[in-house]
Amino acid sequence: MSLNLILDMSRITNSTQQSRNSLLQYPRYYPRTSLQGILKRLMIWIFFSANLTTVLILCQGKCSLSKGISRYMMAMAMGDLMVLTFNVIVSQIVRYHFPSSLLSYTPACRLSAFLQGLSLQLSIWFTIIFTFDRFVAICCHRLKVRYCSERTANVVISIVSALSIAVNIPLPFRYEPAYILNNVQWGCRTITGYLTSPTWAAHRWLTNISNMFLPIPLLLLLNSLTARHILVASRARQALKSTSIGAGKMDGDPELKSRRTSIILLFSISGCFVLLATPITVIDICVGVTQTVAFQGASSLYLAIRATFLLMCTSSCTNTCIYAMTQRRFRAEMKNVLKSSYSLLCQLHK
């Protein structure tokens, strides 16, 4: 995957002997009192807890949501949990805090690369298919009856999952062992012909299009069409009601308020995704144009790559929270879950 390739290239700045020594060191620990460590743990805890709570609440089916919407939201939450687990906890925390862990072995490193690419792609496309479902439900009334159903949701989620797995299957084969010690393969490094192979070039273009260049325009298009349909319907309703009941009662129309809230929600999702996903897209284009293959570990470009990659992961973790927290029944169920958890903790401490 191109995003992981940038990070992998930024790590390949030392010799093989230095990489071997770093793998055999004792685990390193960042100070618990550091502000960076505290903020990182707090962010992970918030997003992980929110998505896990979302899955638990949606499984109960008490939020007055259709089964199709519940399937999409559960898929989004599971995709976001995978992003947090593999792209943040495993890749950005475990790998650096515990350099001599299981990830030091080449098979585990290859599997981690596959799961990182798969989880990020699933999280992105689960958000897109959910947005498309809402577009059909609001703008395509004839197609709504056939498309917006639990069976269709299961089929679409299955197809997206299968395609994502197929796209990311080549990722483990992009790596080779950094060195072999006592017949044990250690570390991962990109194979020699990766940057010159036409096959790998085609795969890079496929992942770039599916993960960065296509989702942002597609999400903006769907939300813009949905918002336009809501605005046109709201103006028609406003004109109809103004002629029948007068303009004095238009400000208190709950239907118009609901539609305005829907527009704000749609553009907040698009704005959040574009704002957090654009920086890594720009850097990926710049790296591809300049054909940069290595960075100094302390350079500003390396820090920018790390920061924008975490922003990309954060954008995958906020979608479910934004969608779900706008539902009144969902908030009520969340309060019940928190109260039940607190009561259980109190009973365990007694």
Side-chain angles (χ1 to χ4, degrees):
M1 180 180 178
S2 180
L3 295 178
N4 290 334
L5 173 63
I6 297 176
L7 291 177
D8 293 338
M9 287 180 176
S10 65
R11 298 189 189 109
I12 306 175
T13 56
N14 298 324
S15 64
T16 304
Q17 182 64 35
Q18 290 174 327
S19 300
R20 180 186 303 180
N21 293 336
S22 65
L23 287 172
L24 297 179
Q25 289 175 353
Y26 290 103
R28 298 191 300 266
Y29 299 93
Y30 290 111
R32 291 186 177 182
T33 57
S34 65
L35 180 60
Q36 180 183 4
I38 294 175
L39 292 177
K40 184 184 294 185
R41 292 183 180 91
L42 180 61
M43 182 189 71
I44 294 173
W45 170 253
I46 291 175
F47 286 127
F48 194 90
S49 301
N51 286 286
L52 183 59
T53 304
T54 299
V55 174
L56 295 176
I57 292 175
L58 292 176
C59 288
Q60 298 176 0
K62 298 180 180 180
C63 297
S64 299
L65 298 173
S66 65
K67 294 183 178 180
I69 297 177
S70 299
R71 288 288 185 272
Y72 286 119
M73 295 186 68
M74 287 180 61
M76 292 167 57
M78 292 301 298
D80 294 341
L81 283 175
M82 291 178 62
V83 170
L84 282 173
T85 302
F86 300 113
N87 292 72
V88 179
I89 297 176
V90 174
S91 177
Q92 304 297 321
I93 296 180
V94 175
R95 178 174 293 179
Y96 294 101
H97 285 257
F98 305 97
S100 58
S101 65
L102 182 63
L103 294 177
S104 302
Y105 296 98
T106 301
C109 180
R110 288 173 171 171
L111 178 61
S112 176
F114 169 76
L115 293 175
Q116 288 175 43
L118 177 63
S119 60
L120 193 59
Q121 190 168 37
L122 286 178
S123 179
I124 293 172
W125 281 96
F126 283 160
T127 303
I128 292 176
I129 61 176
F130 174 71
T131 305
F132 182 76
D133 178 83
R134 294 298 84 207
F135 165 76
V136 172
I138 296 175
C139 303
C140 307
H141 296 288
R142 294 182 179 179
L143 185 60
K144 175 183 176 180
V145 179
R146 293 181 297 174
Y147 185 84
C148 300
S149 62
E150 182 182 9
R151 180 180 178 182
T152 303
N154 293 331
V155 172
V156 173
I157 291 172
S158 300
I159 293 175
V160 170
S161 300
L163 291 176
S164 299
I165 292 174
V167 170
N168 290 279
I169 281 178
L171 288 180
F173 303 98
R174 198 189 71 193
Y175 297 99
E176 62 182 3
Y179 63 92
I180 299 177
L181 182 64
N182 296 329
N183 294 326
V184 178
Q185 297 179 347
W186 291 87
C188 283
R189 65 181 180 186
T190 304
I191 59 178
T192 306
Y194 180 77
L195 296 176
T196 58
S197 172
T199 303
W200 282 114
H203 183 261
R204 286 198 302 272
W205 273 106
L206 178 61
T207 53
N208 284 335
I209 292 173
S210 61
N211 292 340
M212 290 183 290
F213 302 142
L214 183 60
I216 293 177
L218 187 58
L219 194 62
L220 287 175
L221 176 63
L222 290 175
N223 287 335
S224 298
L225 293 175
T226 305
R228 179 179 177 275
H229 185 274
I230 293 176
L231 285 175
V232 171
S234 298
R235 290 174 183 175
R237 179 182 176 86
Q238 187 175 5
L240 180 62
K241 291 182 70 67
S242 62
T243 56
S244 58
I245 62 176
K249 298 183 181 180
M250 289 302 301
D251 295 335
D253 191 351
E255 181 65 23
L256 292 179
K257 289 183 178 180
S258 176
R259 292 178 178 178
R260 283 195 295 266
T261 303
S262 300
I263 295 175
I264 295 174
L265 175 63
L266 289 173
F267 278 104
S268 64
I269 292 295
S270 300
C272 180
F273 185 87
V274 172
L275 181 64
L276 296 176
T278 299
I280 191 66
T281 305
V282 173
I283 289 181
D284 182 69
I285 295 174
C286 294
V287 171
V289 172
T290 59
Q291 296 183 352
T292 305
V293 296
F295 310 100
Q296 296 297 326
S299 67
S300 58
L301 181 57
Y302 172 78
L303 296 177
I305 291 171
R306 292 290 305 278
T308 53
F309 183 76
L310 289 177
L311 284 177
M312 182 67 180
C313 295
T314 302
S315 70
S316 301
C317 301
T318 56
N319 295 329
T320 300
C321 300
I322 296 175
Y323 278 118
M325 294 302 292
T326 56
Q327 302 292 328
R328 183 178 303 176
R329 290 293 302 271
F330 182 87
R331 292 194 295 269
E333 292 297 325
M334 178 173 285
K335 291 179 181 179
N336 295 333
V337 171
L338 294 177
K339 290 179 181 179
S340 302
S341 302
Y342 179 76
S343 302
L344 180 61
L345 290 176
C346 292
Q347 293 178 0
L348 293 176
H349 282 288
K350 291 182 179 179

